[in-house]
Amino acid sequence: KNIEFPITRFHLRKEQIQEIGKRLPELERAGLLDQTEFSELVGLKLFADGSFGTHTAKMKEKYHDHVHGNEGGRGIFFDTIDKMNKAMKVAREHGIKTIATHAIGDEGIQRAIEVARRWIDMGEKNEFEPTFRIEHFELPLPVDQTLKDIKELGIWVVPQPNFLLDYVYKDRLGDRTRWICPHQEIVKAEIPMMFGTDGMPDSMLYAIYLATQAEEPRQRLSFLQALLASTITAAHF
């Protein structure tokens, strides 16, 4: 309350949502949060997989450099489908309409899409407008089918251009690095895209720079396209 830059939405794990839900009467009495604000402000955060850096992003093919023992060196699923389903049920009990899913590897992204289908189906059955976004969205392979599914489901995507500078990933992913952050393909597919930084470039200007200077045409954006992904699209979301 009483801050100059309003927080319009924040995403929490299922356990945090349940805890706030229990304490909502107390928060209402303190004038901090009521049920309507809770439903509008809060989104559910899920994790499909890990990261390239730790070899835990979930991949269909093995990492090139070495094996960590995770399913033959293909990474790990962080949240199981059962855990995600239970979390979505909790979200609905609290009137939450928005889900954000962390998904980096190609197989992790496919799991996020699978969950999105269930969330959207839930919305149709329960007459609410579900929103679903995939955070990171770094290796959407196979790109044509993945983007087609994303478009049909109305999913928002949040690639992070700083991954384009991490050439060390070529040691792990080989030629697959050419499909990290295919920004231009996302634009062509008319999918709503907003940039994130993951805290690694501290400035969004740096994210814009990396997207406009990307080596691969499929990754490169015009300045205007990068600017819109860094400002207006996020505001629309």
Side-chain angles (χ1 to χ4, degrees):
K1 297 290 184 178
N2 302 317
I3 55 175
E4 289 185 20
F5 191 88
I7 296 170
T8 55
R9 184 175 291 118
F10 54 95
H11 291 77
L12 302 174
R13 297 285 287 166
K14 180 192 79 171
E15 297 78 13
Q16 296 166 318
I17 290 170
Q18 288 176 309
E19 181 64 23
I20 292 176
K22 288 178 188 175
R23 299 183 62 185
L24 202 53
E26 175 189 343
L27 295 169
E28 286 191 56
R29 287 194 299 271
L32 294 173
L33 188 70
D34 61 33
Q35 180 60 57
T36 300
E37 289 176 317
F38 184 41
S39 300
E40 293 300 321
L41 282 172
V42 174
L44 171 66
K45 183 66 181 283
L46 301 173
F47 287 83
D49 62 354
S51 69
F52 291 140
T54 59
H55 297 75
T56 52
K58 194 70 176 73
M59 309 293 294
K60 293 176 184 174
E61 298 178 19
K62 290 182 181 180
Y63 286 92
H64 282 220
D65 51 352
H66 62 278
V67 174
H68 267 283
N70 298 320
E71 295 191 32
R74 295 192 300 114
I76 60 172
F77 281 129
F78 188 88
D79 284 342
T80 64
I81 287 292
D82 182 58
K83 189 173 182 179
M84 288 179 166
N85 286 339
K86 288 178 180 177
M88 286 191 286
K89 185 178 178 182
V90 168
R92 281 314 305 143
E93 288 171 355
H94 290 283
I96 291 167
K97 303 172 186 176
T98 303
I99 290 181
T101 302
H102 167 113
I104 291 180
D106 49 5
E107 197 166 357
I109 289 170
Q110 293 305 317
R111 169 154 292 190
I113 292 172
E114 182 182 346
V115 172
R117 283 198 179 95
R118 295 182 179 179
W119 182 240
I120 290 161
D121 183 56
M122 232 188 230
E124 291 175 354
K125 289 178 179 176
N126 294 280
E127 299 183 344
F128 72 94
E129 286 190 36
T131 305
F132 197 97
R133 95 170 191 259
I134 299 179
E135 190 76 30
H136 288 294
F137 198 69
E138 303 306 337
L139 203 67
L141 295 174
V143 69
D144 290 340
Q145 185 60 51
T146 300
L147 295 184
K148 182 175 181 287
D149 292 341
I150 293 286
K151 175 70 174 176
E152 288 177 353
L153 291 168
I155 296 172
W156 299 63
V157 298
V158 193
Q160 298 175 341
N162 54 287
F163 278 75
L164 299 176
L165 196 63
D166 291 319
Y167 295 111
V168 65
Y169 291 151
K170 194 162 187 180
D171 296 340
R172 299 150 208 219
L173 304 175
D175 289 341
R176 286 176 288 182
T177 55
R178 295 183 299 126
W179 293 101
I180 290 178
C181 294
H183 302 125
Q184 192 57 240
E185 300 298 319
I186 295 168
V187 170
K188 288 177 182 176
E190 298 182 331
I191 293 167
M193 173 179 66
M194 47 189 162
F195 282 169
T197 65
D198 205 29
M200 286 188 275
D202 293 328
S203 168
M204 188 61 78
L205 291 174
Y206 190 54
I208 291 173
Y209 171 77
L210 291 174
T212 56
Q213 304 301 313
E215 290 187 7
E216 289 282 336
R218 63 175 61 93
Q219 296 169 330
R220 194 182 315 128
L221 294 177
S222 70
F223 175 73
L224 180 59
Q225 289 171 330
L227 183 64
L228 294 178
S230 303
T231 54
I232 292 176
T233 314
H236 285 171
F237 179 80

